[in-house]
Amino acid sequence: MLTMKDIVRDPDPILRNKAAEIKEIDQETVEQLKEMREYLVNSQNEETAEKYGLRPGVGLAAPQVGLDKRMLAIYIEGEDGEAEYDFMLINPKVKSHSVAETYLPSGEGCLSVDEDIPGLVHRHQRVKVTALDIAGKPIEIKAKGLLAVVLQHELDHLDGVMFYDRIDEEMPMEPKIGARPVE
Ligand code: K2U
Ligand code: NI
């Protein structure tokens, strides 16, 4: 199982790479992506997270575990502890997005960044993403709210972009005109 020792930390240069397209969805790739998803599931289980010292995460991109592959996992539980969003995406692409912007009022963090970096991270309010699933089947996700934010945070990792790159240096806590907070 993946633990925090497997998570690459800033300023490791791999976090600034543009990850490579996956040409063939081989067994190793599928196993690696399943392990990334398993980290998220484990990190949201209080007992397991405590036992292995896992920082909770709702998304994880391959470069964060040292893999130069365009793939990511998202696992967000609902109030009932069941999976509300559960995705393993291969070669994901943003097909379209809203002009309107959103942000998490509490700002963002990152499993690859140990220190807190305050500031609002403005993202598209809605995104349409296409990808392949682990069976190689095309999927399309229309996301808004927290899922849209998490998706964009992980997609940024595949292009070597860190959340703090998107914090305004002059007015880090100032919402942009027209931007709406994620409820
Ligand atoms: O990619 C990562 O480092 C995992 C982040 C993703 C993320 C951070 C902030 C906003 C959206 C996505 C971890 O999930 S940080 C922990 C976390 C947990 C619940 C909600 C938001 C962030
Ligand atoms: Ni991150």
Side-chain angles (χ1 to χ4, degrees):
M1 68 177 270
L2 291 175
T3 63
M4 289 307 289
K5 69 172 176 23
D6 301 302
I7 306 275
V8 172
R9 303 303 156 82
D10 220 7
D12 190 309
I14 192 166
L15 292 171
R16 291 304 187 173
N17 272 353
K18 190 169 174 49
E21 284 272 317
I22 293 169
K23 296 279 178 267
E24 185 206 351
I25 305 174
D26 57 18
Q27 197 47 38
E28 182 187 52
T29 297
V30 171
E31 287 312 312
Q32 289 166 335
L33 189 45
K34 284 181 175 177
E35 265 206 304
M36 289 164 53
R37 175 187 175 278
E38 185 204 28
Y39 174 90
L40 300 175
V41 175
N42 289 340
S43 76
Q44 292 174 52
N45 174 297
E46 214 160 301
E47 207 179 303
T48 314
E50 167 85 23
K51 184 174 176 188
Y52 295 100
L54 308 180
R55 263 187 71 188
V58 290
L60 192 60
Q64 293 182 274
V65 291
L67 297 173
D68 182 17
K69 294 187 178 181
R70 294 191 81 78
M71 60 189 192
L72 63 91
I74 288 178
Y75 186 83
I76 303 177
E77 285 182 359
E79 254 80 66
D80 57 358
E82 293 303 306
E84 189 174 2
Y85 300 111
D86 187 356
F87 297 115
M88 291 185 280
L89 304 180
I90 291 169
N91 298 333
K93 287 182 187 63
V94 176
K95 280 299 173 201
S96 65
H97 62 76
S98 62
V99 171
E101 294 185 296
T102 189
Y103 58 90
L104 280 181
S106 56
E108 297 189 6
C110 183
L111 294 174
S112 298
V113 179
D114 291 332
E115 60 279 351
D116 285 342
I117 304 178
L120 300 184
V121 179
H122 288 85
R123 297 195 183 275
H124 305 308
Q125 217 167 75
R126 292 179 305 284
V127 285
K128 182 161 78 172
V129 172
T130 57
L132 298 178
D133 66 15
I134 51 174
K137 199 159 76 47
I139 47 180
E140 180 181 283
I141 300 167
K142 289 182 180 171
K144 61 183 187 311
L146 176 62
L147 178 61
V149 170
V150 177
L151 255 176
Q152 292 172 80
H153 179 112
E154 303 312 328
L155 286 162
D156 268 354
H157 275 304
L158 301 184
D159 291 331
V161 175
M162 301 295 281
F163 74 94
Y164 54 78
D165 300 343
R166 297 184 182 280
I167 294 174
D168 184 291
E169 283 178 22
E170 270 71 57
M171 302 183 291
M173 306 311 282
E174 195 68 29
K176 284 163 77 176
I177 306 280
R180 282 185 20 204
V182 171
E183 287 83 33

